[in-house]
Amino acid sequence: MDCLFCSIAKKEIPSAAVYEDDEIFAFRDINPQAPVHVLVIPKKHIAGMDEVTAENSDVISKIFEKIPEIAKKEKLDNGFRVISNCGEDGCQSVRHLHFHILGGKKLDEKMC
Ligand code: AMP
Ligand code: ZN
């Protein structure tokens, strides 16, 4: 299967890594929308939030345990935003589940 973020997780495509363990990879967005813009992905392919199930959701809780640690390391002490775009209407452009961590400035109040 041809998946950009699977290739990034396997280091077949280079990225600016921020955090890594057996199940999770975090790296800097190539087109940052804020001073800090990190993407957090499960290494195992899940297409998007619409494909999260009881069988594969363990890694989601692990990602959500890691996000505050990553935010601290990135000095986002004044707050941050976590977003997962899903599917066509959610404007998901890469069909490998990812969570955007955005921060480092006062973000727009508008979410859509
Ligand atoms: P989304 O639109 O929510 O699917 O987000 C996909 C994100 O992946 C966008 O913010 C892109 O800038 C980012 N992106 C695309 N290709 C790369 C890459 N090679 N390395 C890092 N980030 C990427
Ligand atoms: Zn993938």
Side-chain angles (χ1 to χ4, degrees), residues 46 49 52 56-65 97 99:
I46 300 171
M49 276 307 300
V52 174
N56 66 17
S57 64
D58 273 10
V59 71
I60 310 296
S61 60
K62 287 180 179 153
I63 285 173
F64 273 81
E65 285 166 23
L97 178 64
F99 296 92

Side-chain angles (χ1 to χ4, degrees), residues 3 5-6 45 96:
C3 171
F5 286 178
C6 280
H45 184 85
H96 180 127

Side-chain angles (χ1 to χ4, degrees), residues 95-108:
R95 277 295 280 169
H96 180 127
L97 178 64
H98 52 281
F99 296 92
H100 298 254
I101 305 175
L102 295 152
K105 69 168 188 180
K106 177 87 174 173
L107 299 169
D108 202 307

Side-chain angles (χ1 to χ4, degrees), residues 43-92:
K43 285 188 170 176
K44 213 172 138 204
H45 184 85
I46 300 171
M49 276 307 300
D50 52 344
E51 295 215 346
V52 174
T53 64
E55 281 68 46
N56 66 17
S57 64
D58 273 10
V59 71
I60 310 296
S61 60
K62 287 180 179 153
I63 285 173
F64 273 81
E65 285 166 23
K66 260 320 141 192
I67 284 175
E69 284 181 29
I70 293 169
K72 262 191 199 87
K73 239 171 82 187
E74 295 292 320
K75 302 189 169 55
L76 301 179
D77 305 320
N78 211 36
F80 55 92
R81 183 172 290 161
V82 177
I83 295 172
S84 187
N85 296 323
C86 182
E88 177 93 21
D89 282 1
C91 293
Q92 182 181 8

